[in-house]
Amino acid sequence: MPRTIRLLIAYDGSGYHGWQRQRQGEPTIQQELETRLAALCQQPITLHGAGRTDAGVHALGMVAHFHTSGTMPLAAFSKGLNALLSADIRILGAEEAPANFHSRFSALGKTYRYDFFTGPVQLPGSRFYQAHCPGPFVPERLEPALAVLVGTHDFSSFERSGSRDKEATGGRGAVRSLSRISCVPVLARPGHWSIRFTGDGFLRQMVRILSGTLIEIGQGKRRAEEAAAILATRDRTAAGHTAPACGLFLEKIHYSPQIFCPLAPCSQPVAP
């Protein structure tokens, strides 16, 4: 019976066209991993990720699984892969998973983090890992908006235009549940901020549009009281700008312990 192997993956997405394999042949995280896994396992491998990340987006705790008939030890899927991969992709752990485990469909939710810097001059070394949003930022301004956004809503206003067939039937459409949103300073460094979102699922570019809108509120460019009206319009043009991809990190995929004992993702950025 084929084995189900689950990987915990961190990557710097700066040089990739996102997670998902592309027909045009642009480099992607999935394609790079599948190529290395095929060489390691001596068989074609299809890697199933817990979700997709866009070009330039990073991950600290992406989960993916694949099936193999090989008998090689688990260490080969971490140490062996890391020896084959470029330094911008790391395997943090590998485990045997139950046959019915699926990285995407077994997941209960995800946590994303959006990092940004509001000072006047951004250091060159951080430009791929933080959005630069210069200007005064007051996190307390966000509190009324966060209270509105947490919960179950139709988040059409925070979805990339044209990314979903609005006429399709079935499924849950644009309805998602956010259980927590927070905005905190980073390591007491002036002007460095992180917004974290935990929810049962996210629409295309939803975190980046939410982040762009919240940053505008924190900088006084729009009022927090607008959040309810933005949700109600179900119109992308009502929300704020789409924050740059460079500040976004997929931090963790959440699973039930009864289904799978989760590996712990690293808590540090991929690069300074």
Side-chain angles (χ1 to χ4, degrees):
M1 183 176 179
R3 301 160 70 195
T4 300
I5 306 296
R6 180 256 198 176
L7 303 176
L8 183 65
I9 307 161
Y11 53 83
D12 176 342
S14 303
Y16 295 90
H17 288 254
W19 165 269
Q20 189 177 20
R21 189 189 313 110
Q22 302 289 325
R23 290 182 181 178
Q24 297 85 352
E26 294 96 340
T28 68
I29 304 296
Q30 182 186 26
Q31 182 179 35
E32 181 70 10
L33 285 165
E34 286 180 342
T35 299
R36 304 306 177 188
L37 278 167
L40 195 65
C41 298
Q42 295 298 297
Q43 66 178 103
I45 294 292
T46 298
L47 190 63
H48 303 275
R52 303 173 184 177
T53 54
D54 290 336
V57 174
H58 317 292
L60 302 178
M62 171 63 89
V63 175
H65 77 279
F66 64 95
H67 302 292
T68 178
S69 56
T71 59
M72 65 182 63
L74 284 171
F77 299 118
S78 52
K79 294 180 181 179
L81 269 178
N82 283 338
L84 296 173
L85 290 163
S86 59
D88 50 12
I89 306 176
R90 293 291 88 178
I91 306 302
L92 305 180
E95 290 187 355
E96 299 267 1
N100 64 348
F101 173 78
H102 193 286
S103 299
R104 177 183 173 190
F105 299 120
S106 298
L108 299 179
K110 301 174 184 176
T111 295
Y112 282 93
R113 188 184 85 216
Y114 195 83
D115 290 352
F116 60 102
F117 174 60
T118 57
V121 180
Q122 184 177 36
L123 292 175
S126 65
R127 71 191 187 282
F128 295 128
Y129 311 104
Q130 285 181 321
H132 188 206
C133 307
F137 180 80
V138 181
E140 290 77 15
R141 290 175 177 161
L142 274 56
E143 292 176 2
L146 300 186
V148 168
L149 294 170
V150 169
T152 301
H153 308 285
D154 183 312
F155 282 96
S156 295
S157 296
F158 297 95
E159 178 182 20
R160 176 181 170 180
S161 299
S163 64
R164 182 173 51 87
D165 181 3
K166 303 298 191 296
E167 303 301 322
T169 59
R172 54 178 176 164
V175 175
R176 298 293 185 272
S177 296
L178 298 184
S179 57
R180 188 166 186 266
I181 311 175
S182 64
C183 180
V184 296
V186 178
L187 301 176
R189 296 165 66 191
H192 295 262
W193 303 92
S194 287
I195 305 176
R196 277 186 174 84
F197 303 84
T198 297
D200 65 353
F202 295 87
L203 302 166
R204 184 76 183 272
Q205 295 189 353
M206 177 175 161
V207 175
R208 290 170 58 191
I209 299 169
L210 282 167
S211 296
T213 305
L214 291 172
I215 291 169
E216 289 178 7
I217 291 172
Q219 293 187 322
K221 297 176 181 178
R222 64 170 66 222
R223 297 180 298 108
E225 291 73 22
E226 294 179 41
I230 293 172
L231 278 172
T233 65
R234 301 183 183 181
D235 181 354
R236 169 64 188 94
T237 62
H241 74 284
T242 303
C246 62
L248 184 58
F249 292 79
L250 172 59
E251 279 202 329
K252 186 175 182 179
I253 311 295
H254 301 275
Y255 297 97
S256 166
Q258 286 73 36
I259 295 176
F260 196 79
C261 181
L263 293 162
C266 64
S267 58
Q268 298 301 314
V270 175

